[in-house]
Amino acid sequence: MNGNRIGFIGLGNMGGRMTRSLTGAGIDVVGFDTDPEAAARWGATEAASIAAVVGAADVILMSLPDSKVVERVVLGEGGVLAGCRDGQIVVDLSTAAASSTRRIAGALAERGVAYVDAGISGGAAAAETGTLTLMVGGDQAVIDRLGWVFAPIARKVVVMGGSGAGHTTKLLNNFLNAVSLAATAEVMVAGRKAGLDLHRLLEVLNASSGVNFATLNRFPKIVDGDYLEGGLTGKLMTKDVVLYTDLLHELGVASLNASGPMASFGLATALGYGDVISNRVVDAIGDVSGGVRLHENGHEN
């Protein structure tokens, strides 16, 4: 390994927080982002280009919006593939299509570079505290060498199988996340219009069969006007649902439940909430339900 140094490409809401966890553990991070101020904001040493990151470290992490961006960063001119060297490890922390992941892994393998896909779960809060869950795909021997990289950012690391298995697992998880968030948002708007005390409604849901991640972790804050800004946006949530339906098409599995979250997050984007946290889907549903807000003093979009 190149000392105690990691390269990081993509220092957004999640990548930036992971970078801060890494530097807080005493690891030197050389980072690149299209935002020239991102590296300094998250405590990394700024690199002038992707090539500079690749040249600076033997382990390179990426946290990028989707497979198209990942492919451009890895396979494009001046990208990772062009500058990589034998023995390096590239870890993709993005939410991406497994078929694309496997193609990239094959291209890098021809240069002697290992590609590990590591889907992440837990949102901005877990990234902030270094308690993410990682679902990992790739060669077990390579993954075993990454313990020092994963330890500062993740509380749980589960190896799911070979190349693409991590990203496949991530898409399955994110679809359930999208369903529960959209459905809970609808229920909470209905509860508000019915005149229910929303804190008591959540108390019941969280002790009953309707309990889910959104009822436990999101809506106790949202009902008091805190949308937990900084996490996955509405547009990215829609992208993840589309990737899920593409995956099911490839697998030959019927996708019967995607229409709900597609409609909900599509509505949110159409009403101007696409670039803010996906939790704002509740305001989009509220907008078309008579201007409902779950709280009295929350800020508008």
Side-chain angles (χ1 to χ4, degrees):
M1 298 294 176
N2 189 1
N4 199 26
R5 173 182 289 175
I6 289 172
F8 211 124
I9 301 169
L11 305 176
N13 285 327
M14 297 299 288
R17 286 176 168 83
M18 286 185 276
T19 292
R20 190 157 59 192
S21 293
L22 291 164
T23 58
I27 297 171
D28 180 22
V29 178
V30 178
F32 174 80
D33 192 88
T34 53
D35 176 1
E37 298 179 359
R41 182 164 60 248
W42 298 110
T45 300
E46 183 182 2
S49 64
I50 294 170
V53 173
V54 175
D58 289 337
V59 176
I60 300 146
L61 307 184
M62 302 188 304
S63 180
L64 300 166
D66 55 38
S67 291
K68 290 182 180 179
V69 178
V70 172
E71 289 179 2
R72 187 162 65 245
V73 166
V74 176
L75 305 176
E77 184 178 353
V80 174
L81 182 63
C84 65
R85 57 188 179 276
D86 184 75
Q88 285 182 301
I89 302 172
V90 179
V91 181
D92 186 8
L93 300 154
S94 314
T95 301
S99 55
S100 173
T101 297
R102 288 189 289 268
R103 288 195 300 272
I104 292 172
L108 288 172
E110 293 179 1
R111 298 285 298 275
V113 176
Y115 194 59
V116 172
D117 50 292
I120 58 177
S121 184
E128 189 78 39
T129 56
T131 56
L132 292 163
T133 295
L134 298 186
M135 47 212 86
V136 185
D139 181 83
Q140 183 68 59
V142 174
I143 296 168
D144 289 343
R145 294 162 56 194
L146 294 170
W148 68 282
V149 177
F150 292 155
I153 64 174
R155 177 170 56 192
K156 188 175 186 64
V157 179
V158 182
V159 180
M160 299 303 301
S163 180
H167 281 163
T168 295
T169 305
K170 171 64 171 171
L171 292 180
L172 299 179
N173 175 80
N174 274 26
F175 176 68
L176 291 178
N177 176 39
V179 170
S180 63
L181 175 54
T184 304
E186 185 177 300
V187 163
M188 296 303 290
V189 169
R192 177 71 165 173
K193 290 203 76 171
L196 299 179
D197 181 305
L198 296 186
H199 292 92
R200 293 184 182 181
L201 176 57
L202 285 170
E203 181 182 356
V204 170
L205 294 175
N206 286 331
S208 304
S209 56
V211 64
N212 61 69
F213 187 88
T215 63
L216 286 169
N217 298 289
R218 292 193 170 102
F219 282 92
K221 298 286 189 180
I222 295 170
V223 295
D224 291 326
D226 178 3
Y227 289 89
L228 303 166
E229 300 289 1
L232 187 73
T233 67
K235 286 182 180 177
L236 289 177
M237 185 71 88
T238 302
K239 177 266 300 182
D240 289 354
V241 176
V242 171
L243 285 174
Y244 168 82
T245 59
D246 288 344
L247 172 65
L248 263 60
H249 178 72
E250 292 173 9
L251 295 173
V253 175
S255 177
L256 306 177
N257 295 287
S259 58
M262 282 296 293
S264 297
F265 294 105
L267 172 69
T269 295
L271 295 180
Y273 301 101
D275 293 320
V276 294
I277 191 166
S278 54
N279 294 341
R280 286 287 194 141
V281 68
V282 70
D283 284 356
I285 294 171
D287 285 349
V288 297
S289 302
V292 176
R293 288 294 178 271
L294 302 189
H295 49 89
E296 297 294 340
N297 301 312
H299 48 282
E300 299 293 324
N301 184 45

